[in-house]
Amino acid sequence: MLLSLAFTLAILALLLGGVRPAKLVAALGQLSPAVLALGLAASLLVNLLQAAELLRRALAVFGQDLSYRRALIACVRTLTPKMALPGGLGLVVRILYLHRAARLDLAGVTMSQALIPWFKLAWMLALPLVGHALGAPVPPLALVLVSAGLAGMLVLSWAAPRTGLLLLEQAAARWDKLRRLRQTLSTLGQQRRPGPLAVTAMHALLSAGLEVLLFYVILVGVMGPVAPVTVLALFPLCALGSKVPVAFLGLGAREALVLLLFGPFAPPAQLLAAALAYSALGFLLPPLLTAPFTWRPGDSSTVQL
């Protein structure tokens, strides 16, 4: 956590040092209250309202039933740690909440929570290719990397479940405690439903698309008309780069990538203003708003909002 904060502060200081404060303030001043309100609404839609439906659909793939209301409460009560804690620890908090407070099967919950970022990663890799096919300029190296990443994910999607169960079966022959886990995962794999799986993939696409839309709205608010296909092609690369766990909430890394990839299309002050506004609306305000409702592992009840 401290290292990520230090990295974020160092990168932000470097980026801010390369832009005149007056120009940055002027660019931020271009954001009207209506654009900020729309951006915050889109952010809450991504992180809470639509995220709750995505959570429900992913759980249904592995036979876990959760109402939309309870899924929304789960998203509210675990959003702050999910976004703030590094290295996937926040996702562990959500898994524990769903298992303890929502009384869902631990193995099914764990697999469903692995499925959501997997689908979102796949779509974020695919969107630059779609944007490039529609005529947007994408750096050749980025095209190679996202193509390789997407191909690797397709291979892993086919091979990993079989390989994992085989390794567990071999380990279970030596350690009896692993036998039950292997049987549970095998049963869940057999019960996996193709219909809910496809619906979950579509909801993950919607979630990824809303993230791109949020940045597009902010960018247009700062600098005026922008080709949507350009944002479709380039912003997912910024979002992917910010997921590398070296910066707190992706701050600094996201802004640097926006300046790098969108540099030919706008002045640095406008791009930095748009990136900072996106980070504030998408990654700072939502966890702050839900912080008072945060669930703690010692609390096994589903406290009403």
Side-chain angles (χ1 to χ4, degrees):
M1 174 88 65
L2 292 178
L3 287 177
S4 63
L5 282 172
F7 178 85
T8 292
L9 292 175
I11 293 297
L12 287 177
L14 183 63
L15 296 176
L16 291 171
V19 175
R20 291 184 180 180
K23 290 186 175 181
L24 179 61
V25 171
L28 288 170
Q30 296 296 314
L31 289 168
S32 67
V35 169
L36 292 174
L38 181 60
L40 180 58
S43 176
L44 294 177
L45 177 63
V46 172
N47 289 299
L48 295 176
L49 301 178
Q50 196 274 330
E53 186 61 23
L54 176 58
L55 174 61
R56 286 187 64 239
R57 298 297 181 173
L59 288 167
V61 173
F62 300 100
Q64 306 300 304
D65 183 41
L66 193 68
S67 68
Y68 179 80
R69 178 178 174 276
R70 295 180 69 198
L72 180 58
I73 292 175
C75 289
V76 170
R77 302 210 66 196
T78 58
L79 180 64
T80 301
K82 180 177 179 292
M83 298 187 74
L85 294 179
L89 292 176
L91 195 60
V92 173
V93 174
R94 178 162 290 181
I95 290 172
L96 289 175
Y97 175 86
L98 292 169
H99 174 57
R100 295 182 182 179
R103 309 292 190 219
L104 298 178
D105 177 71
L106 180 59
V109 167
T110 302
M111 293 179 73
S112 70
Q113 294 311 287
L115 186 65
I116 292 173
W118 184 260
F119 273 141
K120 291 186 70 173
L121 175 59
W123 288 121
M124 283 297 188
L125 288 170
L127 288 178
L129 299 177
V130 174
H132 179 68
L134 294 174
V138 180
L141 179 59
L143 286 175
V144 172
L145 291 176
V146 297
S147 299
L150 197 56
M153 290 189 71
L154 291 174
V155 172
L156 284 174
S157 297
W158 176 82
R162 295 166 175 79
T163 304
L165 287 176
L166 179 60
L167 292 175
L168 269 177
E169 186 174 359
Q170 294 174 352
R174 299 184 178 182
W175 295 286
D176 291 337
K177 292 182 179 180
L178 291 177
R179 188 170 300 162
R180 182 180 177 185
L181 176 61
R182 194 271 178 205
Q183 292 173 346
T184 300
L185 293 178
S186 179
T187 301
L188 286 171
Q190 293 171 1
Q191 293 177 346
R192 188 178 57 195
R193 305 169 184 177
L197 188 66
V199 173
T200 302
M202 291 301 101
H203 277 280
L205 173 59
L206 176 60
S207 179
L210 286 171
E211 291 184 27
V212 176
L213 178 62
L214 172 58
F215 182 74
Y216 175 75
V217 168
I218 294 172
L219 190 61
V220 170
V222 170
M223 56 178 289
V226 182
V229 69
T230 300
V231 179
L232 178 68
L234 297 181
F235 183 72
L237 300 174
C238 304
L240 288 170
S242 68
K243 300 300 182 185
V244 179
V246 295
F248 181 68
L249 297 178
L251 288 166
R254 187 182 304 107
E255 285 72 14
L257 287 168
V258 167
L259 287 173
L260 175 65
L261 294 172
F262 288 88
F265 308 102
Q270 291 183 332
L271 293 175
L272 185 56
L276 290 173
Y278 174 85
S279 294
L281 292 174
F283 292 88
L284 292 177
L285 282 179
L288 286 175
L289 292 174
T290 58
F293 308 105
T294 298
W295 175 78
R296 293 171 179 80
D299 179 13
S300 60
S301 63
T302 53
V303 177
Q304 301 298 315
L305 297 179

